[in-house]
């Protein structure tokens, strides 16, 4: 188990998600069990492994508004635009959502964009867009009528971006940010901006594409200060000054 713990710590330092780390540890357990079954080893050293679960209330790293401005200002053209897409939509970075978005997914009639979401029961969801971002998409479509994907490398029409990790890290250095921040933290920024501004939890959960609102609640409840204070407006306290003192 000590070797498995060392592996998990190394993966964590590399920024691998909990689900990825659980999967790799399960692979190790399965391989070792195969070794036991084929008389290659006498016992499975990982037999006690159980998948780790996320701790409720664990706060994600939040990008401040000043950091967001600095990163955007230091970014290259395609990363700058990818940042804008993420802060306006909250989509997951990567091939399944951000890099898969096409210009034809924009629905101007319904003022939104269709997003394929594999983690929900509905594989294709209309994500509403703010008018100013919809106008940006319209301008982009008119300026580049042959553009296929929302996020593309400049001068390479029709070719989606495969990864932004290298340019993201370089941009953090140029922006003078030394703490560990991931592209995924832009999604956390989107969620925190909504909830801190008083957005409904269920609506925020649906915008994020969470299959269960409890996921949103467990991750971001500490940010819902406005809702908690607003809840106190419904608390009616009797006027105790009118009560007689019992004798």
């Amino acid at each position: 188990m000590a070797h498995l713990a060392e592996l998990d710590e190394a993966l964590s330092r590399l920024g691998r998600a909990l689900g990825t780390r659980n999967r790799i540890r399960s692979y190790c357990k399965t391989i070792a069990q195969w070794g036991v079954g084929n008389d290659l080893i006498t016992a499975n050293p990982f037999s006690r492994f159980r998948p780790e679960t996320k701790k409720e209330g664990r706060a994600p790293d939040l990008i401040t508004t000043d950091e967001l401005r600095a990163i955007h200002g230091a970014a290259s053209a395609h990363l700058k635009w990818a940042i804008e897409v993420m802060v306006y939509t909250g989509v997951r970075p990567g091939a399944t959502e951000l890099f898969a978005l096409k210009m034809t997914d924009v629905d101007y009639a319904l003022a939104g964009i269709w997003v394929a979401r594999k983690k929900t029961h509905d594989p294709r969801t209309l994500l509403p867009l703010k008018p100013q971002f919809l106008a940006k998409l319209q301008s982009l479509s008119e300026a580049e009528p042959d553009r296929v994907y929302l996020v593309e490398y400049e001068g390479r029409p029709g070719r989606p971006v495969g990864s932004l990790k290298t340019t993201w890290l370089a941009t953090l250095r140029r922006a003078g940010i030394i703490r560990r921040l991931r592209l995924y933290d832009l999604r956390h920024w989107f969620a925190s901006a909504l909830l801190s501004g008083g957005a409904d939890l269920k609506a925020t959960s649906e915008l994020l594409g969470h299959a269960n609102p409890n996921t949103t609640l467990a991750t971001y409840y500490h940010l819902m200060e406005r809702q908690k204070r607003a809840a106190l407006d419904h608390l009616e306290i009797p006027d105790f000054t009118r009560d007689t003192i019992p004798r």
Side-chain angles (χ1 to χ4, degrees):
M1 287 295 292
H3 294 298
L4 196 57
E6 291 176 6
L7 173 62
D8 186 63
E9 289 176 5
L11 292 170
S12 181
R13 287 195 298 270
L14 290 172
R16 298 297 183 266
L18 179 60
T20 301
R21 285 152 42 205
N22 275 335
R23 188 163 59 252
I24 292 174
R25 287 184 287 181
S26 293
Y27 291 159
C28 293
K29 180 179 179 180
T30 301
I31 292 169
Q33 191 59 43
W34 177 87
V36 172
N38 287 273
D39 298 324
L40 298 175
I41 55 177
T42 57
N44 187 343
F46 309 132
S47 60
R48 295 184 180 180
F49 164 73
R50 296 292 182 275
E52 183 181 346
T53 58
K54 289 184 178 180
K55 297 178 181 179
E56 291 191 4
R58 181 180 180 274
D61 291 328
L62 295 180
I63 297 176
T64 67
T65 301
D66 288 340
E67 286 175 331
L68 182 57
R69 289 198 188 100
I71 294 169
H72 185 268
S76 57
H78 68 284
L79 177 59
K80 195 184 296 286
W81 174 239
I83 290 171
E84 292 187 32
V85 173
M86 285 200 64
V87 298
Y88 272 108
T89 65
V91 294
R92 296 176 176 86
T96 59
E97 292 191 11
L98 177 62
F99 302 150
L101 292 175
K102 294 183 178 181
M103 299 299 293
T104 53
D105 292 326
V106 182
D107 194 323
Y108 295 100
L110 297 178
I113 186 169
W114 291 96
V115 181
R117 284 188 156 152
K118 297 181 179 180
K119 295 192 176 184
T120 62
H121 299 297
D122 189 356
R124 191 167 165 82
T125 306
L126 181 70
L127 190 67
L129 298 176
K130 291 178 73 69
Q132 58 264 44
F133 186 60
L134 202 62
K136 283 190 173 189
L137 290 171
Q138 180 69 58
S139 298
L140 179 62
S141 178
E142 292 172 355
E144 302 180 31
D146 296 329
R147 191 183 186 96
V148 177
Y149 294 93
L150 257 67
V151 179
E152 293 182 351
Y153 289 113
E154 194 171 358
R156 300 182 190 177
R159 294 181 59 183
V161 172
S163 173
L164 290 170
K165 184 175 181 180
T166 300
T167 187
W168 172 259
L169 294 175
T171 300
L172 291 181
R173 289 193 293 270
R174 287 196 298 272
I177 296 174
I178 58 174
R179 74 186 185 105
R180 179 181 173 272
L181 290 175
R182 305 164 301 163
L183 191 65
Y184 199 96
D185 291 321
L186 293 174
R187 178 170 158 85
H188 289 319
W189 183 92
F190 174 84
S192 66
L194 289 176
L195 293 171
S196 298
D200 176 74
L201 177 65
K202 182 66 164 62
T204 301
S205 179
E206 291 183 358
L207 289 171
L208 290 169
H210 286 161
N212 190 328
N214 288 335
T215 302
T216 314
L217 182 65
T219 307
Y220 300 108
Y221 189 71
H222 65 289
L223 298 171
M224 301 176 66
E225 189 63 31
R226 181 176 297 188
Q227 290 93 320
K228 287 182 279 187
R229 291 189 178 278
L232 293 178
D233 293 339
H234 301 284
L235 182 65
E236 297 292 339
I237 305 296
D239 185 359
F240 293 124
T241 60
R242 298 180 181 180
D243 294 348
T244 58
I245 301 176
R247 298 180 182 277

